[in-house]
Amino acid sequence: NVATAQAYWQATNNQPLDSRVISLGGRAMPNPCNVRARFGTPVSFILEYTNNVTAIGSCRIRAGGPLSGFDIDSTAVPVTAKTNCILAETLATDTIAQPCIRCGDCADVCPAKLLPQQLHWYAMASNFDKCEQLNLDACIECGCCDLVCPASIKLTETFRYAKSQIEQAQTQKHKAEQAEQRFAAREVRLQEKERAKQTAIEQRKQAIKKQAKPDTAQLQAAIARARTKRRPKKT
């Protein structure tokens, strides 16, 4: 999209990406508009600045698109690089989710050609390995499956949870591999240090043996001098 293209241009020209254009809309937004906000700006400040403060408390504030977005519990949360819009929707009671009837509507509308009902079943069973086999990482979290689900199952939220668990497991695995590599490197260093120590000890022993062993030539010269002194002097 245009925002991504601009961010790429800024990156290639050594310009920091510290803000983005955010669209304010929704059926309950008093003053829909577009604003540029820096990352970290609270949602409440943006609503007050755009004369949409009346939406706070009386509406359901949603960060992100109508399908892929999510409701926020507090307007004190900051905007990030992924916050492309802020929506104000009318308060509505959440529909209680019913058991999946395996109608297949979610699979028909999935743009990534996934099997949301199967992914949901494995995610709820915490079988994240199976979720990876079914290409959960290809889910773009568009929310189309939530929109057509007759059982009112929040599939997108389940997929986000499964993705976070998989990412956490991969992070832990990576840390464990790094710790194992550091331990192996430490063992190698200790072995090399011990070999160097033993080599130094052997060299020292050899040096001491050489010092303790008398020189034959010097010994013979000393004996000859002693014999010369013992000979009687000629008168």
Side-chain angles (χ1 to χ4, degrees), residues 20-25 62-66 69 82-87:
R20 70 164 301 158
V21 175
I22 300 176
S23 299
L24 275 69
R62 189 174 180 85
K82 296 182 179 181
T83 308
N84 58 347
C85 63
I86 300 174
L87 304 178

Side-chain angles (χ1 to χ4, degrees), residues 40-74:
T41 304
V43 174
S44 59
F45 179 83
I46 297 176
L47 294 176
E48 293 175 1
Y49 181 79
T50 56
N51 297 324
N52 289 305
V53 68
T54 55
I56 302 177
S58 60
C59 301
R60 183 164 52 94
I61 305 301
R62 189 174 180 85
L67 294 179
S68 59
F70 55 92
D71 294 346
I72 56 178
D73 297 330
S74 174

